């Protein structure tokens, strides 16, 4: 049975949701070279120890071993995406995405018996790209995802030496931010839920790790002239916080994702060598205020260029972190925020894939 899924291949994390499931899978978009692990105590969840070998015709290096997500988070040789990376072409993003699809296939028993000892799971996917990448790279992105890929879990608890073939049959690529609005405007049945969003002219500021997208949506169609994207996201400011904390206190965060987790959990106290502790909240505040001022200025610029915009939604993982700072910087200008902001796109991608399969909604 082919599973329908939405996958948000974000620069900070990969989010995956299956049709009929409310609980998205989130894996940090971070990898490290894999090797034979010295395990003193096995992790209590396979999610914490994604140790894989991946074969894919779309990868430049095949049958390589990787530590993925949480397992790579504190590894000294880990790799995170930089602002020069293009997610449509990135091997790292594909590695984490295929790991997520294989993991979900096994944990949700979506996988069926294949040949020999190989499980198999088939998907139809909805996914997306930033505004500036979409025109040039959407077809390339689709072709890299399509086809058959193979993931072997090695030391991963509960999945020891399980091999699974991930077959991606169809891919619907849409635009980040626009898919989020489609999700907000419709029910799971794809019937209209919010007339204002569905039939109005809506501005979106979708703040990601490495990009910020400003799609303008008129009656659920992308405005080609006014939609825009910027090659800057919250990662720029997280990197600055990491540098300042290291300079001030000698404490080095092993990854941007590790700092992001602390910010999300409001854990601003760090441990110093010995028994000392320090509050890094003032450093976080300084850089997030700078980020907020820049985001608000970009929103104002977009709104001036397209005065038909009725309201502006600020969404994405970056919006969750920056919300109080943006509200302060915006002053009297009203901006709209939503709950579960970082999951709007992935749920939108699922609905876009469903609508294109049904050929009932022109998204």
């Amino acid at each position: 049975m082919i599973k329908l899924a939405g996958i948000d291949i974000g620069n900070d994390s990969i989010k995956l949701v299956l049709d009929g499931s409310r609980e998205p899978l989130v894996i940090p978009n971070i990898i490290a070279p894999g090797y034979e692990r010295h395990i003193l105590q096995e992790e209590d969840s396979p999610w914490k120890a994604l140790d894989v070998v991946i074969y894919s015709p779309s990868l430049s290096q095949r049958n390589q071993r990787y530590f993925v997500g949480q397992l790579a988070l504190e590894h000294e040789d880990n790799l995170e995406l930089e602002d020069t990376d293009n997610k449509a072409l990135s091997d790292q993003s594909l590695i984490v995405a295929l790991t997520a699809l294989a993991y979900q296939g096994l944990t949700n028993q979506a996988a069926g018996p294949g040949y020999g000892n190989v499980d198999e799971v088939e998907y139809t996917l909805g996914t997306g790209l930033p505004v500036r990448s979409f025109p040039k790279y959407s077809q390339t992105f689709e072709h890299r995802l399509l086809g058959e890929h193979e993931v072997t879990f090695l030391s991963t608890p509960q999945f020891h030496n399980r091999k699974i073939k991930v077959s991606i049959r169809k891919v619907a690529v849409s635009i980040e931010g626009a898919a989020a609005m489609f999700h907000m405007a419709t029910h799971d049945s794809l019937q209209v839920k919010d007339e204002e969003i569905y039939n109005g002219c809506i501005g979106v500021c979708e703040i990601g790790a490495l990009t910020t997208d400003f799609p303008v949506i008129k009656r659920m169609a992308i405005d080609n002239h006014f939609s825009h994207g910027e090659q800057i996201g919250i990662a720029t400011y997280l990197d600055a916080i990491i540098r300042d904390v290291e300079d001030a206190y000698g404490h080095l965060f092993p990854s941007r994702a590790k700092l992001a987790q602390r910010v999300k959990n409001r854990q601003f106290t760090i441990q110093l060598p010995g028994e000392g502790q320090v509050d890094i909240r003032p450093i976080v505040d300084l850089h997030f205020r700078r980020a907020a001022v820049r985001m608000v200025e970009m929103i104002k610029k977009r709104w001036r260029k397209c005065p038909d915009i009725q309201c502006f939604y600020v969404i994405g993982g970056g919006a969750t972190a920056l919300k109080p700072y943006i509200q302060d910087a915006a002053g009297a200008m009203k901006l709209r925020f939503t709950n579960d902001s970082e999951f709007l796109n992935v749920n939108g991608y699922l609905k876009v894939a469903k609508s294109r399969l049904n050929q009932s909604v022109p998204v």
Side-chain angles (χ1 to χ4, degrees), residues 230-287:
E230 297 283 351
Q231 287 297 118
I232 186 168
I234 197 170
T236 299
Y237 301 94
L238 292 174
D239 288 342
I241 292 168
I242 290 171
R243 287 194 303 271
D244 281 3
V245 169
E246 184 181 14
D247 290 346
Y249 305 112
H251 178 98
L252 179 61
F253 285 98
S255 62
R256 192 188 298 138
K258 185 74 173 178
L259 172 60
Q261 278 188 355
R262 280 182 162 271
V263 170
K264 185 175 182 179
N265 295 327
R266 317 302 291 171
Q267 296 174 346
F268 297 109
T269 301
I270 59 172
Q271 186 72 40
L272 300 179
E275 296 189 12
Q277 292 183 330
V278 68
D279 184 4
I280 64 167
R281 179 67 182 266
I283 295 175
V284 173
D285 284 345
L286 172 68
H287 290 287

Side-chain angles (χ1 to χ4, degrees), residues 55-62 88-91 94 98 140-149:
Y55 173 83
S56 169
S58 298
L59 293 174
S60 57
Q61 291 187 306
R62 301 163 190 175
L89 307 176
S90 166
D91 276 4
L94 185 59
L98 292 174
T140 303
F141 191 40
E142 179 182 341
H143 292 152
R144 293 190 82 220
L145 288 166
L146 283 170
E148 295 182 352
H149 319 268

